[in-house]
Amino acid sequence: MGTGLSGLSWVCSSLFMRAYAHKDELHSLSRDIWSNPELAGNEKHAHDRLVRFFSQDQTWTVQSHYKLPTAFKASWGPVSGGVGDPVLNVGFLCEYDALPGIGHACGHNLIAEVGAAAAVGLKAALENQTELPVPVKITVLGTPAEEELGGKIELINAGAFADIDLVFMAHPAQQDASFHPCIIIEEMLVKYYGKASHAAAYPWEGVNALDAAVLAYSNISVLRQQLKPDWRIHGIIKHGGEKPNIIPAYTELEFYLRTPLLKDLCDLKAKAEACFRAAAGATGCQVEITSPTPTYYNILPNATLASLYESNGKALGIHFPEQPTSFCGSTDFGNVSFIVPGIHPFFYICTDALNHTEEYTEAAGAEKAQLYTLRTAKALSMTAVDVVCCPDLLKKVRDDFRLAKLKQKEEKNQNCEKEKRPN
Ligand SMILES: NCCCC[C@H](NC(=O)CCCN)C(=O)O
């Protein structure tokens, strides 16, 4: 195989046929994960299932429980190149955590399938190649706990991305998009401490922590009217008391704060904190405010990878609407995008249902999502093939990455002091 062939012609010759051969196995993989939904950090069944999937082909080296109890790593290669040549390590990410009560309502079972399928597809295309411009290795990382805790951030901190050169994953949504920014998110946990008393006999002796929680919730609702259209703040009361005749001595709220820019997040945090503290003042409660999980960053764009993905996707029949999706979520892939050049496209799965609903859970397990899922995996593999085969493209991808980071750095310089983000 020479270096001049496009990803598409390669794929037509080998990858399509061989990846197609795995289609039932891949569907069974995602269906099994879908049937056994597990919350962030507890994805034992999914971890074991994915480890088995890769271990059955002995050309993969598989590390279970890789740096985190439910993370794994599967590596293949390097192929081609001479001894001592620098290796290009292409990463694919699998997510597999579910949501409380509604299972795989964000379709992370399909993210696992896309990651596995794209890696298997790339391996099929590269197997037996001896004339690649650089030796290539494939790494699949099982990245748990996206919905909560930020598994990828823990893996970054543990060095799991240190030797990866490019990273690919894709997320199910309402339409196809080669790039969607995803916004920064920070969590706020608010605890009010009051004083219990008999609610009928001695109400004047109590300090009502539920009143504080309700006022806090209302303060935020009032604040919302004055926020910028692309900011988000939303929360729940996690603990609201024990019994109507006991004045609640303790309540707990969990809020998510989101903005596209870090400097806006600082403003939003300050406004939210004022709302929470005002509720404490009004009721006489003590308040404790913490951010229990790390901040998820926005996704850095990579124009070259996005445009290659779009061309490959179009060749496979993917339609990319002019009007980008209004999906306004957040992901710990954002933090990865600051460390390694990569893409996180969105893909349609043959439903109008919205993420985080029971209808979406059903769609993520349905047979009809398969065509879209595997087509997405193929487009990712083809994009990887393009970059692997063409050193100029690899250089462009790396230049885009540097440029995007530089732009963010300029933005970061306008931020409040205490915010940290990788340079
Ligand atoms: N610590 C809270 C993280 C919430 C992340 C969650 N992610 C998703 O819904 C996936 C969407 C894109 N990956 C969110 O609420 O945005």
Side-chain angles (χ1 to χ4, degrees), residues 127-328:
E127 258 163 0
N128 309 317
Q129 299 302 326
T130 52
E131 291 174 41
L132 295 168
V134 283
V136 179
K137 187 176 161 180
I138 303 174
T139 297
V140 182
L141 279 184
T143 62
E146 190 277 338
E147 291 289 353
E148 204 67 61
L149 312 172
K152 292 185 198 64
I153 302 170
E154 289 193 45
L155 287 170
I156 290 171
N157 295 338
F161 288 89
D163 66 342
I164 297 183
D165 296 289
L166 296 169
V167 75
F168 296 93
M169 66 169 284
H171 196 297
Q174 283 64 54
Q175 63 183 51
D176 283 280
S178 57
F179 173 72
H180 184 68
C182 275
I183 56 178
I184 305 165
I185 187 171
E186 181 148 330
E187 218 172 301
M188 268 187 161
L189 188 65
V190 184
K191 295 176 177 177
Y192 288 108
Y193 299 92
K195 183 168 163 258
S197 179
H198 194 295
Y202 307 108
W204 50 87
E205 292 295 332
V207 177
N208 195 325
L210 181 59
D211 283 347
V214 170
L215 284 178
Y217 194 89
S218 302
N219 290 347
I220 296 288
S221 298
V222 171
L223 169 71
R224 202 173 280 119
Q225 196 188 3
Q226 268 63 55
L227 300 183
K228 291 186 184 167
D230 51 7
W231 295 12
R232 295 284 184 278
I233 180 162
H234 47 95
I236 55 167
I237 298 179
K238 283 188 85 177
H239 187 91
E242 307 293 347
K243 212 175 179 311
N245 61 2
I246 306 171
I247 289 183
Y250 176 72
T251 54
E252 198 176 302
L253 300 98
E254 193 178 345
F255 270 81
Y256 290 174
L257 283 64
R258 310 187 199 230
T259 59
L261 298 175
L262 201 55
K263 69 175 165 40
D264 286 344
L265 186 72
C266 296
D267 291 348
L268 181 56
K269 269 168 74 177
K271 287 175 194 291
E273 202 169 318
C275 290
F276 298 135
R277 294 201 185 283
T283 54
C285 289
Q286 299 297 311
V287 63
E288 190 184 295
I289 305 171
T290 52
S291 294
T293 53
T295 308
Y296 290 13
Y297 302 146
N298 53 306
I299 298 182
L300 280 190
N302 191 289
T304 303
L305 286 177
S307 128
L308 289 170
Y309 177 81
E310 210 161 307
S311 313
N312 287 317
K314 281 179 182 165
L316 294 171
I318 297 180
H319 167 65
F320 295 95
E322 290 283 301
Q323 187 71 17
T325 168
S326 61
F327 190 96
C328 204

Side-chain angles (χ1 to χ4, degrees), residues 184 260-262 297-301 338 401-415 421-423:
I184 305 165
L261 298 175
L262 201 55
Y297 302 146
N298 53 306
I299 298 182
L300 280 190
F338 279 77
F401 176 63
R402 271 190 292 273
L403 201 73
K405 283 216 313 186
L406 208 69
K407 273 180 76 176
Q408 284 287 319
K409 207 168 169 183
E410 282 162 13
E411 184 246 305
K412 192 183 117 190
N413 289 338
Q414 307 162 17
N415 293 331
R421 183 145 65 172
N423 284 313

Side-chain angles (χ1 to χ4, degrees), residues 16-34:
F16 273 3
M17 296 314 294
R18 286 195 246 169
Y20 189 76
H22 288 278
K23 91 177 177 24
D24 292 340
E25 212 185 325
L26 287 159
H27 186 195
S28 138
L29 172 74
S30 71
R31 182 73 196 183
D32 187 5
I33 296 172
W34 181 86

Side-chain angles (χ1 to χ4, degrees), residues 383-405:
T383 304
V385 167
D386 286 338
V387 181
V388 159
C389 290
C390 181
D392 287 351
L393 284 178
L394 179 60
K395 183 181 174 307
K396 275 183 81 179
V397 167
R398 286 179 166 153
D399 288 348
D400 285 354
F401 176 63
R402 271 190 292 273
L403 201 73
K405 283 216 313 186

